[in-house]
Amino acid sequence: MKTLRPLQSIDKLENAAALDPVANKVRDVVQAVLKPGALRDILHGVPIGHPLHPLMILVPTGSWLSAAVLDLLPGSNKASAVLIGTGVASAAPTALAGWADWSEGHEQQLRVGIVHATANLIAVGLYTGSLVQRLRGRSGKLLSYTGLVVVSAGGFLGGHMSYRQSLGANHNEDVPHRIEAGWHSIGSLEELQEGKLEKRVLGEIPLVVFRRGSEVSVLSNTCSHLSGPLNEGEVTFDDGNPCVVCPWHNSGFSLKTGEVVQGPATSPQHSFETRVIAGQVEVSLPNAG
Ligand code: FES
């Protein structure tokens, strides 16, 4: 089955360079306001291991959709108003989480995202107008139903960003499926420079390797956020534990465990078990194959 023709034009949005000046300006503002730190990591969803924004949109969209159903029934204007107010109140934190993720996206994602955000902003305005009308004893249904259409269009673009453009998806998920189970040699210990990030390749899978003395840490090299090359990043230390910081958007991962120590990534890197046999470094990925 083919994609519906009107929806094919969304692909063109990704390449609409005319959106770049405004998208870049808004991105700069978001990055200036949301500095790296605990708040931004929470907005990204680092503590829950998934982006937070898709979870949060349930509150405004769920409230507004419920209000639309109630509005079909007689005598439910007050209940609808409560739901619409709930949606309007929850829109700001929901948008903030979305802005945080969006501001670390690449240019095609920024273009679609700026239209997605504009649609949602218009929808919030329409729902706010509907709420004001309802509080004044008027119907407000025309505004809220228009808001539902607009927020649905915005949601469609959000789905495009998540599923077609993979913003928020784990870009490292395929690794265990592309590696044979068991131990594999990745070269001699002697060839690894002490304290430096090095790249090795296992089959088709790039790895980032870090040696401290006889201890070797190995992670998948493709950053789970948006596929940045971790071997080109920097080594930092978190409570004495070595971490790698991605060169593209500064996600940080523990070199020992692969866990995220700093967003925007929310998914950990695959961490390999290592051993040295007769001077050769061998790696094994639990659950591979
Ligand atoms: S690709 Fe974005 S932080 Fe690594």
Side-chain angles (χ1 to χ4, degrees):
M1 184 184 284
K2 286 187 176 173
T3 308
L4 296 173
R5 196 174 285 273
L7 302 183
Q8 290 172 359
S9 60
I10 290 173
D11 290 340
K12 292 188 187 138
L13 201 54
E14 294 182 7
N15 299 313
L19 293 168
D20 289 352
V22 64
N24 292 341
K25 208 160 258 178
V26 176
R27 179 204 51 203
D28 292 347
V29 170
V30 173
Q31 288 186 340
V33 172
L34 293 175
K35 303 266 188 226
L39 174 64
R40 203 172 81 176
D41 279 358
I42 290 170
L43 290 171
H44 284 309
V46 174
I48 59 171
H50 295 269
L52 182 62
H53 180 64
L55 201 63
M56 293 186 73
I57 59 177
L58 289 174
V59 182
T61 54
S63 302
W64 291 335
L65 190 59
S66 304
V69 174
L70 279 186
D71 275 342
L72 297 173
L73 307 174
S76 50
N77 207 18
K78 266 191 187 159
S80 294
V82 170
L83 286 168
I84 288 171
T86 303
V88 169
S90 61
T94 303
L96 206 57
W99 285 117
D101 292 343
W102 170 85
S103 69
E104 304 290 354
H106 56 60
E107 59 189 359
Q108 287 84 1
Q109 293 162 340
L110 294 189
R111 291 168 188 155
V112 179
I114 200 76
V115 181
H116 163 75
T118 304
N120 291 340
L121 209 60
I122 293 169
V124 171
L126 289 164
Y127 274 111
T128 304
S130 170
L131 185 60
V132 170
Q133 285 194 346
R134 286 165 196 260
L135 292 175
R136 288 177 178 165
R138 293 164 65 188
S139 157
K141 289 182 184 176
L142 180 61
L143 285 177
S144 57
Y145 278 119
T146 310
L148 188 63
V149 171
V150 176
V151 82
S152 299
F156 189 87
L157 291 177
H160 184 88
M161 292 167 71
S162 300
Y163 297 107
R164 184 72 72 88
Q165 298 186 297
S166 300
L167 182 63
N170 177 5
H171 288 247
N172 185 45
E173 189 279 334
D174 61 326
V175 171
H177 314 298
R178 299 172 63 202
I179 287 181
E180 300 278 325
W183 291 94
H184 310 275
S185 173
I186 58 165
S188 77
L189 181 66
E190 256 187 19
E191 284 172 3
L192 291 174
Q193 285 189 64
E194 179 92 19
K196 290 251 187 297
L197 296 170
E198 298 215 20
K199 184 180 175 184
R200 294 289 184 273
V201 179
L202 178 58
E204 296 173 345
I205 302 295
L207 308 173
V208 59
V209 181
F210 181 74
R211 175 186 174 189
R212 277 216 293 184
S214 59
E215 198 179 317
V216 182
S217 302
V218 179
L219 304 179
S220 49
N221 192 47
T222 304
C223 178
S224 66
H225 176 235
L226 281 176
S227 305
L230 294 184
N231 67 301
E232 294 174 20
E234 276 181 25
V235 177
T236 59
F237 289 88
D238 181 44
D239 280 342
N241 292 314
C243 300
V244 54
V245 177
C246 179
W248 285 7
H249 312 100
N250 296 324
S251 289
F253 303 94
S254 163
L255 277 160
K256 283 189 171 173
T257 64
E259 76 177 323
V260 179
V261 295
Q262 173 181 300
T266 57
S267 299
Q269 291 301 116
H270 291 288
S271 176
F272 288 70
E273 292 175 356
T274 63
R275 68 184 185 189
V276 179
I277 304 279
Q280 293 291 306
V281 179
E282 294 187 351
V283 298
S284 172
L285 183 64
N287 304 319

